């Protein structure tokens, strides 16, 4: 149902209804920002990647093939944009720790923050290509096939990068 609604919104947007694109932005801004943040490790870079992805999607909306999911199409755009930002800014900054309370004891909260920081450091130690497949597979739950489509690489390459990333 979501894919059908997305296809209708895309068609409406192409017919001149700009509010239809606003609905797509509202629907996918959060998940796209989260993916960009996990890849870039920076709130500012993730905001830039997300905004640029939406601008590019709007400009290229006429190239969208409704046989595929809109989310997969725009997700690929944001992943590519995030990787481009990393390429341009080789001086990777540290991820900002998330300070949300989890309702547990202070010791549990401290342990959770330590684990989250360790995971973030480990992700930042990976190459952008390896980081992208780890985020897409383990944090966002996409299949190998979906990841391959988003990154524009064969499924075997996705599996190989994921194997290498896990090993590192």
């Amino acid at each position: 149902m979501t894919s059908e609604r997305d296809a209708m919104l895309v068609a409406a947007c192409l017919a001149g209804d700009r509010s239809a694109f606003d609905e797509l932005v509202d629907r996918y801004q959060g998940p796209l920002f989260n993916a960009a943040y996990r890849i870039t490790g920076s709130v500012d870079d993730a905001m830039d990647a997300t905004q640029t992805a939406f601008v590019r999607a709007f400009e290229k909306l006429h190239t969208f093939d409704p046989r595929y999911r809109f989310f997969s199409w725009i997700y690929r755009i944001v992943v590519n944009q995030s990787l481009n930002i990393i390429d341009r800014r080789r001086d990777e900054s540290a991820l900002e720790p998330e300070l949300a309370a989890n309702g547990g004891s202070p010791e549990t909260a401290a342990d959770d923050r330590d684990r989250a920081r360790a995971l973030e450091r480990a992700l930042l130690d990976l190459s952008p290509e390896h980081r992208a497949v780890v985020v897409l597979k383990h944090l966002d739950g996409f299949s190998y096939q979906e990841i391959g489509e988003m990154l524009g690489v064969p499924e075997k390459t996705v599996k190989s990068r994921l194997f290498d990333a896990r090993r590192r």
Side-chain angles (χ1 to χ4, degrees):
M1 182 159 102
T2 301
S3 294
E4 292 170 7
R5 177 73 179 150
D6 289 350
M8 289 183 343
L9 290 170
V10 168
C13 186
L14 290 171
D17 181 2
R18 290 186 182 244
S19 67
F21 195 76
D22 292 342
E23 186 174 334
L24 290 168
V25 170
D26 289 343
R27 180 177 290 180
Y28 295 119
Q29 185 171 3
L32 295 177
F33 173 82
N34 288 337
Y37 177 71
R38 289 179 180 140
I39 293 169
T40 64
S42 162
V43 171
D44 291 336
D45 288 344
M47 289 171 54
D48 289 346
T50 305
Q51 182 176 11
T52 302
F54 279 117
V55 169
R56 292 215 172 130
F58 183 79
E59 292 171 346
K60 301 290 184 180
L61 200 56
H62 65 280
T63 68
F64 171 68
D65 185 345
R67 292 179 297 166
Y68 301 102
R69 292 176 45 211
F70 176 79
F71 181 69
S72 296
W73 182 71
I74 196 163
Y75 201 99
R76 180 176 180 181
I77 295 171
V78 82
V79 166
N80 288 338
Q81 187 58 36
S82 298
L83 294 173
N84 290 341
I85 286 173
I86 289 172
D87 286 343
R88 283 194 310 265
R89 299 180 185 166
R90 286 289 176 192
D91 59 342
E92 296 175 338
S93 61
L95 289 172
E96 297 173 15
E98 190 150 331
L99 301 176
N102 65 358
S105 70
E107 294 82 15
T108 303
D111 288 344
D112 289 348
R113 279 193 303 273
D114 289 344
R115 274 193 293 281
R117 285 186 193 124
L119 175 62
E120 291 165 350
R121 280 192 304 272
L123 282 172
L124 287 175
D125 285 342
L126 295 173
S127 70
E129 293 80 17
H130 289 102
R131 187 179 320 148
V133 295
V134 168
V135 167
L136 293 170
K137 180 67 177 164
H138 293 297
L139 300 177
D140 292 333
F142 288 105
S143 70
Y144 296 117
Q145 180 182 357
E146 290 171 320
I147 296 168
E149 290 171 4
M150 287 179 210
L151 298 179
V153 298
E155 195 173 320
K156 287 182 180 181
T157 303
V158 171
K159 290 178 180 179
S160 174
R161 287 181 185 173
L162 193 56
F163 177 79
D164 289 344
R166 288 175 182 150
R167 201 176 50 191
R168 290 189 175 126

